[in-house]
Amino acid sequence: MIQLENSVTHALLESAEKSVLFTARRPDIVMERGEGMYLWDTDGKSYLDFVGGWAVANLGHSPAVLQEALSRQASTLVHASPGYFNKPMIEFAGQLTGVSGMDKVFFASSGAEANESAIKLARKHGAVNLSGAYEIIALRNGFHGRTLATMSATGKPHWKELFAPKVDGFTHVPINDLDACFAAVTNNTCAIMLELIQGEGGVHAVDEAYLYGLRKMCDMYGMLLIFDEVQTGMGRTGKLFAYEHYGIKPDVLTLGKGIGGGFPLAAMLTLGKYDLFEPGDQGGTYSGQPLAMAAGSAVLQELLQRDLAGNAERQGSYLVKKLKELSGQYPITNVRGKGLLLAFDVPEGASTELSAICLREGLLINSPGPSTIRLVPPLIVTQQHIDDMLLILRRAFVQLQSF
Ligand SMILES: *Cc1c(COP(=O)(O)O)cnc(C)c1O
């Protein structure tokens, strides 16, 4: 019986093992369909999704507005060429600069590319305005992507020697230590780059006083302050951009993940005075690609119209309150985060097992480290979804404790 039910999945998994290059350990399921807060696998089993496509599916899975925008644009123009402007590109650029408080935007397809672009702009600024300065200060435990330069910017200790020789010119300092950052500044520094809440690093926020200090330091030395809001941007933390919580504006802002609602899209935004690239410096075949632009535009409109940042704030507070209540009963500690970028700690080594049990029980959660669980559900989540999620989580903790 079971063999028969799982035969399609079984064949797919065998085929995957044969032909998909191994890069990550994945569970023995195959996702087939998505709608709202749920994903379904090829066995027809449903999963309540608190991974949200890795903080991407802000409007939930396969939202109607995205379907409509994509099919409308696909029947008009799929791709023009990066050598020409196109209409959705200009429209979305206007919308995004309008809501972000920035002046100019460069579009890309992934967060790493947007950050790569920010790194290049910082070096261009160094070359043009700071007598050739090219060093960038970034934070330990930060995450900026998987290209060689963004891996160099990333502050994971075990990435230091990986794929050597990597891109030179990055210094890492501990988070929320202003003196350490000040001490790292040299004549050669052109920018400071950081996430306001470290996502992959386990959901750790920068302090307000620290960020204020970084802003002052950048102003003093003419360095660029770069906020990587690939994960925190587009409503995730309860405001459209996490920098609004601090009231401190960057010189360069990068966005990705939720910006396309699942369609590959990212952006690097900056101020008019840093519109410094010359022809040939930066580009990309899919920069400003019409389908991506239509997707971004539709997602942003829906986000604003339904005030999903506000919902992230409300539901996030509710979820934090409930998790703190549970911490009396279960080994949950250090509940943290803003809006719907949340995490908590479990006993060392238990996070992988806990997420595996949840998967079996029909709940998707993510463990970015051996003792950390991260929750980044779609921003459309309701109190009912959260209650359903907590019920499964409690069941999972009971099974975990029985080991
Ligand atoms: C995910 C992420 C990236 C990389 O984005 P990709 O689209 O995977 O290239 C960069 N910075 C932060 C903060 C991220 O969370």
Side-chain angles (χ1 to χ4, degrees), residues 195-258:
E195 299 159 89
L196 300 189
I197 302 176
Q198 295 183 328
E200 301 306 304
V203 187
H204 301 288
V206 297
D207 299 336
E208 215 169 298
Y210 177 68
L211 200 61
Y212 183 76
L214 295 187
R215 180 67 273 178
K216 272 183 77 172
M217 218 182 287
C218 284
D219 291 342
M220 209 156 77
Y221 294 113
M223 306 179 298
L224 297 189
L225 184 59
I226 303 171
F227 291 169
D228 176 349
E229 292 225 35
V230 167
Q231 187 155 160
T232 56
M234 308 317 289
R236 173 59 50 191
T237 68
K239 301 229 183 255
L240 199 51
F241 304 100
Y243 81 73
E244 297 171 52
H245 289 289
Y246 297 87
I248 293 164
K249 245 177 87 170
D251 302 304
V252 176
L253 174 71
T254 58
L255 301 171
K257 294 204 165 85

Side-chain angles (χ1 to χ4, degrees), residues 102-399:
M102 308 302 281
D103 301 321
K104 297 284 177 93
V105 57
F106 172 78
F107 292 111
S109 308
S110 69
E113 271 180 282
N115 284 334
E116 189 86 22
S117 190
I119 292 164
K120 285 169 80 171
L121 186 63
R123 288 191 175 187
K124 186 79 187 186
H125 166 66
V128 174
N129 299 321
L130 299 173
S131 0
Y134 65 87
E135 277 176 14
I136 296 176
I137 299 173
L139 298 190
R140 268 183 216 157
N141 207 33
F143 181 82
H144 300 295
R146 293 170 187 281
T147 61
L148 281 175
T150 56
M151 277 186 89
S152 291
T154 291
K156 285 191 187 190
H158 57 283
W159 273 19
K160 231 182 163 77
E161 305 306 324
L162 206 57
F163 306 125
K166 283 225 289 298
V167 177
D168 211 0
F170 293 90
T171 312
H172 292 95
V173 295
I175 189 172
N176 291 329
D177 184 340
L178 206 52
D179 290 342
C181 189
F182 198 67
V185 175
T186 72
N187 282 340
N188 222 359
T189 312
C190 66
I192 300 174
M193 175 175 190
L194 74 160
E195 299 159 89
L196 300 189
I197 302 176
Q198 295 183 328
E200 301 306 304
V203 187
H204 301 288
V206 297
D207 299 336
E208 215 169 298
Y210 177 68
L211 200 61
Y212 183 76
L214 295 187
R215 180 67 273 178
K216 272 183 77 172
M217 218 182 287
C218 284
D219 291 342
M220 209 156 77
Y221 294 113
M223 306 179 298
L224 297 189
L225 184 59
I226 303 171
F227 291 169
D228 176 349
E229 292 225 35
V230 167
Q231 187 155 160
T232 56
M234 308 317 289
R236 173 59 50 191
T237 68
K239 301 229 183 255
L240 199 51
F241 304 100
Y243 81 73
E244 297 171 52
H245 289 289
Y246 297 87
I248 293 164
K249 245 177 87 170
D251 302 304
V252 176
L253 174 71
T254 58
L255 301 171
K257 294 204 165 85
I259 190 175
F263 198 91
L265 174 61
M268 181 208 58
L269 295 113
T270 191
L271 303 172
K273 61 181 162 180
Y274 302 119
D275 190 345
L276 297 171
F277 285 137
E278 291 159 81
D281 283 350
Q282 180 59 325
T285 304
Y286 295 124
S287 179
Q289 204 276 351
L291 283 180
M293 298 296 100
S297 198
V299 169
L300 177 62
Q301 265 175 47
E302 185 78 354
L303 199 69
L304 296 173
Q305 239 163 46
R306 292 171 62 184
D307 185 27
L308 291 178
N311 191 56
E313 165 72 42
R314 282 187 301 278
Q315 303 303 338
S317 301
Y318 177 71
L319 182 47
V320 164
K321 191 184 86 184
K322 287 289 173 184
L323 286 169
K324 284 184 174 164
E325 281 172 22
L326 285 189
S327 69
Q329 248 178 305
Y330 303 99
I332 291 176
T333 52
N334 213 357
V335 178
R336 59 189 181 272
K338 279 194 174 87
L340 289 170
L341 174 50
L342 299 174
F344 59 84
D345 289 337
V346 292
E348 187 73 19
S351 69
T352 312
E353 192 190 340
L354 188 72
S355 41
I357 298 170
C358 285
L359 182 83
R360 221 164 52 214
E361 299 281 337
L363 169 68
L364 305 178
I365 57 173
N366 164 253
S367 66
S371 61
T372 301
I373 297 290
R374 177 175 46 176
L375 304 171
V376 278
L379 309 187
I380 57 163
V381 70
T382 64
Q383 194 164 313
Q384 184 61 55
H385 295 126
I386 291 174
D387 290 340
D388 292 350
M389 175 265 178
L390 291 166
L391 199 69
I392 301 176
L393 190 64
R394 293 213 313 254
R395 274 212 302 267
F397 266 115
V398 170
Q399 291 177 53

